[in-house]
């Protein structure tokens, strides 16, 4: 048995004379030494057959859950495949349950690259020193929210910010509590008109959880009015997901900056020198030139992505602090 194991572990290029000499040495060994050599040979063979496996790092992509999960899974699944092909690394979409969970996962390293709203992006960067803003959509530099109302509410189109006082006493819903376009900026503009959440019906506003859900609760009449991201409203309208006989826009907010891609620090140490720059170029390079890229841009409701700077989001940080969402 010892001879067979010993022979099995010899390199393929060994000559007959070398093998014969080694067999003679093994046979002439005392029994105990021969057993020890045979055991060592078995261990060496096992070691030779088990090659070290170096795990390839995976880029974990996430996003605030601002729309229904089915739409998000489709969008970020396509994006993960596109980035994987462009960067030659594994890319995986990791869904989260709510806006704070996206910020938390980014801080702890559970997510490497996240599509944040204005507020959550600021929160994430404040909690993760060294995080960088990579890009925004062409529509994010001049973004808006819309206020919508159920047609049976009696609410009429509003021509100026002061007209928001007509929402006092109404059942009103924001989206997520941490949404920039579905809560932060709408509440900011309401405050400018002198309207506080305590003045809504029941002494508080509702929170639907997402922009799609805000459309649904206002359209159903559960709430008489609400505020959401204009891009989601437009997409829902174009796709026939809005019953315009039951719900309509009554006011559009002034422009502000919103969504953006934020990346964790030190990705170059995991994926190689210059990776963060390559990642930014991959995002900025998305163009409607292939079916998959067309789908991605359509789902993002954008024509392209453009560079973005952290300084653009200082006004969002200021409003966040004013409303107690950033401390």
């Amino acid at each position: 048995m010892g001879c067979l194991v010993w022979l099995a572990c010899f390199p393929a290029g060994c000559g007959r004379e070398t093998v014969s000499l080694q067999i003679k040495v093994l046979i002439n060994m005392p029994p105990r030494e021969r057993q020890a050599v045979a055991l060592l040979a078995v261990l060496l063979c096992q070691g030779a057959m088990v090659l070290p496996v170096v795990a390839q790092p995976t880029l974990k992509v996430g996003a605030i859950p601002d729309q229904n999960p089915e739409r998000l899974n489709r969008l970020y699944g396509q994006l993960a495949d596109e980035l994987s092909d462009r960067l030659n690394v594994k890319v995986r979409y990791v869904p989260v349950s709510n806006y704070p969970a996206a910020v938390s996962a980014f801080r702890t390293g559970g997510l490497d690259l996240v599509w944040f709203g204005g507020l959550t992006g600021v929160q994430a960067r404040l909690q993760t020193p060294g995080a960088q803003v990579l890009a925004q959509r062409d529509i994010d530099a001049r973004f808006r929210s819309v206020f919508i109302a159920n047609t049976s509410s009696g609410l009429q189109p509003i021509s100026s910010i002061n007209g928001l006082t007509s929402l006092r006493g109404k059942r009103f819903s924001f989206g997520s509590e941490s949404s920039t376009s579905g809560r932060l900026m709408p509440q900011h503009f309401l405050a400018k008109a002198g309207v506080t959440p305590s003045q809504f019906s029941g002494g508080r506003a509702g929170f639907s959880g997402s922009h799609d859900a805000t459309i649904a609760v206002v359209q159903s009449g559960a709430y008489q009015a609400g505020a959401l991201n204009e891009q989601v409203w437009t997409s829902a309208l174009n796709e026939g997901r809005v019953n315009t006989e039951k719900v309509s826009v009554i006011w559009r907010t002034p422009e502000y900056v919103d969504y953006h891609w934020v990346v964790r620090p030190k990705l170059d140490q995991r994926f190689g020198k210059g990776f963060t720059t390559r990642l930014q170029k991959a995002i900025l390079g998305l163009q409607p030139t292939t079916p998959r890229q067309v789908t991605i841009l359509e789902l993002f409701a954008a024509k392209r992505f453009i560079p973005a700077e952290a300084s653009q989001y200082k006004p969002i940080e200021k409003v966040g602090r004013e409303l107690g969402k950033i401390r």
Side-chain angles (χ1 to χ4, degrees), residues 29-223:
M29 280 184 181
R32 284 188 179 180
E33 291 183 20
R34 190 161 59 242
Q35 289 175 3
V37 170
L39 177 59
L40 178 59
V42 169
L43 293 175
L44 288 172
C45 283
Q46 289 178 340
M49 284 186 261
V50 179
L51 298 175
V53 177
V54 179
Q56 183 184 1
T58 299
L59 183 72
K60 299 179 289 287
V61 177
I64 52 172
D66 60 346
Q67 299 181 61
N68 72 73
E70 182 180 347
R71 187 181 183 89
L72 294 178
N73 286 334
R74 183 183 173 211
L75 168 56
Y76 292 102
Q78 298 259 13
L79 180 68
D81 291 342
E82 182 70 21
L83 291 179
S84 181
D85 289 347
R86 283 173 168 262
L87 299 169
N88 196 30
V89 299
K90 291 183 179 178
V91 182
R92 179 165 58 94
Y93 168 54
V94 181
V96 296
S97 57
N98 53 48
Y99 285 47
V103 175
S104 178
F106 184 79
R107 182 184 69 248
T108 59
L111 293 173
D112 300 310
L113 173 70
V114 180
W115 181 241
F116 282 120
L119 174 62
T120 46
V122 171
Q123 291 171 330
R125 285 186 286 107
L126 289 174
Q127 295 177 30
T128 313
Q132 299 177 49
V133 175
L134 290 189
Q136 60 185 202
R137 296 170 300 184
D138 50 353
I139 61 175
D140 287 308
R142 304 177 69 178
F143 208 76
R144 293 177 186 266
S145 296
V146 293
F147 281 65
I148 59 174
N150 188 285
T151 52
S152 67
S153 66
L155 290 165
Q156 300 298 313
I158 295 169
S159 59
S160 70
I161 193 169
N162 292 331
L164 292 174
T165 55
S166 62
L167 294 171
R168 288 175 178 152
K170 301 296 184 181
R171 298 189 305 277
F172 185 90
S173 179
F174 292 118
S176 165
E177 293 190 39
S178 297
S179 172
T180 304
S181 52
R183 190 275 176 90
L184 186 78
M185 296 310 293
Q187 187 171 340
H188 169 68
F189 293 120
L190 283 163
K192 281 194 163 190
V195 180
T196 65
S198 64
Q199 295 173 331
F200 294 133
S201 176
R204 60 186 178 86
F207 290 96
S208 70
S210 73
H211 303 296
D212 288 331
T214 299
I215 296 174
V217 296
V218 175
Q219 184 166 283
S220 70
Y223 285 87

Side-chain angles (χ1 to χ4, degrees), residues 298-309:
E298 284 180 350
L299 289 170
F300 268 108
K303 293 181 179 178
R304 61 193 176 99
F305 285 91
I306 61 176
E309 300 289 339

Side-chain angles (χ1 to χ4, degrees), residues 163-281:
L164 292 174
T165 55
S166 62
L167 294 171
R168 288 175 178 152
K170 301 296 184 181
R171 298 189 305 277
F172 185 90
S173 179
F174 292 118
S176 165
E177 293 190 39
S178 297
S179 172
T180 304
S181 52
R183 190 275 176 90
L184 186 78
M185 296 310 293
Q187 187 171 340
H188 169 68
F189 293 120
L190 283 163
K192 281 194 163 190
V195 180
T196 65
S198 64
Q199 295 173 331
F200 294 133
S201 176
R204 60 186 178 86
F207 290 96
S208 70
S210 73
H211 303 296
D212 288 331
T214 299
I215 296 174
V217 296
V218 175
Q219 184 166 283
S220 70
Y223 285 87
Q224 293 168 297
L228 70 145
N229 165 330
E230 184 179 39
Q231 171 255 309
V232 173
W233 168 261
T234 302
S235 294
L237 203 61
N238 292 340
E239 294 168 12
R241 293 185 284 119
V242 176
N243 185 338
T244 54
E245 292 183 359
K246 293 184 177 181
V247 61
S248 62
V249 171
I250 58 172
W251 190 62
R252 285 178 167 80
T253 70
E255 295 172 344
Y256 55 88
V257 68
D258 201 355
Y259 291 79
H260 53 305
W261 283 111
V262 183
V263 66
R264 277 187 59 80
K266 300 181 180 179
L267 286 193
D268 289 16
Q269 295 180 10
R270 289 172 51 202
F271 296 94
K273 186 177 179 180
F275 179 81
T276 301
T277 299
R278 288 175 54 220
L279 175 58
Q280 182 182 38
K281 287 181 178 178

